[in-house]
Amino acid sequence: MSSISRVNKDLFHQRGKIISLILGFHLLAILLMILYKNVFNITDPTSLTGGVLIAVVIGVVFLVMSVINIFDSSKYRLIPISDKGLYFSNFLSAFFAVIYLLVGEAIIYFGAYAISPNPYDQIMIKDFSAGQYWFKFEVVIAIILGIMLLLVGSVVIRLLVSLIGDLLPIKKQAIVTVFLTLIVIWAVMVPFNFITANTLILLGVREVTTSFDSVVRMLNMSLFILLIWNIVLTFLNLYLLNRWSEATK
């Protein structure tokens, strides 16, 4: 059987190239913006945060499509590797791609700010730097877990749509698939929101005040919930993937 590390290396190589392109285009856009402002002597401050958010969103959307596509691609479905092996290779490479994306954007952001500082990002950097080291670390972990939850959740929806679609006495048409996907997303989000909200209440988090202690407590609970949801949905994905594999043989 193909090893998880070998498949992971192949997948990360493919995803890494796309992430590199996203980072490259973002860096080029910033350099062009700085050049434009210098040539035309424009002094209006421009925040760099928006560009980072756009680049991260584009990267995450690409990773969502890439992760889902692996289970649809005959190239990977026919590899002599178990469903669990393919699943963890898929998400392990996605995890490394997320780290690459976030680290790359952080380097671009702070590098661009050092070259072209502005008051908007100065406030954000100052406020973030004022926090405790452990708090900043937790914020980064929360972002990573949140992105991974989005990736894991997208596979849950994809597998549910496929399994339900196989049971329906109608042909798989694009409009039907879109409608079914919207229904599945709604059906997944309702219990997800209900369980998450009530879990926070049970953990004693009813509201967040402006105090630092309140924010830290909310962040700690959020980290716990994100981790649990990632684990739960991973087991659900493995179960659905096994059912899907048997149904498509």
Side-chain angles (χ1 to χ4, degrees):
M1 280 195 172
S2 299
S3 65
I4 292 179
S5 60
R6 184 176 179 180
V7 177
N8 169 61
K9 182 178 180 180
D10 180 59
L11 291 175
F12 178 72
H13 178 70
Q14 298 178 34
R15 292 164 178 170
K17 290 192 295 184
I18 302 298
I19 298 299
S20 295
L21 285 175
I22 294 173
L23 296 175
F25 278 118
H26 185 200
L27 180 59
L28 178 62
I30 290 177
L31 292 177
L32 290 176
M33 179 195 72
I34 295 175
L35 179 62
Y36 175 81
K37 293 178 68 174
N38 290 333
V39 169
F40 292 95
N41 196 26
I42 298 176
T43 58
D44 294 337
T46 303
S47 176
L48 302 168
T49 307
V52 173
L53 291 176
I54 292 174
V56 171
V57 169
I58 293 175
V60 171
V61 170
F62 158 72
L63 288 175
V64 167
M65 296 172 60
S66 177
V67 165
I68 293 176
N69 183 62
I70 294 303
F71 299 114
D72 292 333
S73 174
S74 58
K75 173 184 176 180
Y76 288 97
R77 294 290 289 168
L78 295 177
I79 288 179
I81 189 174
S82 65
D83 288 338
K84 291 182 180 179
L86 179 60
Y87 181 87
F88 286 112
S89 296
N90 193 6
F91 278 96
L92 186 61
S93 62
F95 172 77
F96 289 137
V98 168
I99 300 298
Y100 178 31
L101 173 64
L102 295 179
V103 171
E105 282 301 319
I107 293 174
I108 291 175
Y109 177 76
F110 288 107
Y113 175 77
I115 297 174
S116 180
N118 62 85
Y120 303 115
D121 294 306
Q122 182 181 24
I123 294 174
M124 293 187 60
I125 293 175
K126 182 178 179 181
D127 289 343
F128 189 75
S129 299
Q132 298 179 4
Y133 174 79
W134 181 249
F135 175 76
K136 290 182 283 188
F137 176 75
E138 287 184 327
V139 170
V140 174
I141 297 300
I143 294 174
I144 295 174
L145 287 177
I147 294 176
M148 293 307 299
L149 180 59
L150 182 61
L151 298 179
V152 174
S154 66
V155 175
V156 170
I157 293 172
R158 172 66 183 91
L159 294 178
L160 286 174
V161 169
S162 179
L163 287 170
I164 296 173
D166 290 338
L167 299 176
L168 297 177
I170 54 177
K171 293 183 178 180
K172 292 184 177 179
Q173 300 176 350
I175 186 65
V176 175
T177 301
V178 170
F179 185 68
L180 180 59
T181 300
L182 293 176
I183 294 176
V184 171
I185 291 175
W186 175 81
V188 170
M189 290 305 299
V190 169
F192 175 84
N193 291 333
F194 177 81
I195 294 173
T196 301
N198 283 277
T199 300
L200 285 173
I201 293 175
L202 290 174
L203 292 174
V205 181
R206 297 182 180 273
E207 61 180 10
V208 181
T209 64
T210 56
S211 68
F212 183 73
D213 290 340
S214 176
V215 174
V216 170
R217 178 175 174 78
M218 181 64 182
L219 179 60
N220 290 336
M221 295 301 101
S222 298
L223 282 173
F224 172 74
I225 292 175
L226 285 171
L227 179 61
I228 295 300
W229 271 122
N230 271 288
I231 294 174
V232 170
L233 294 186
T234 291
F235 279 105
L236 178 59
N237 271 332
L238 291 175
Y239 171 76
L240 293 175
L241 187 61
N242 182 59
R243 292 289 301 275
W244 191 32
S245 298
E246 294 176 355
T248 54
K249 286 182 180 178

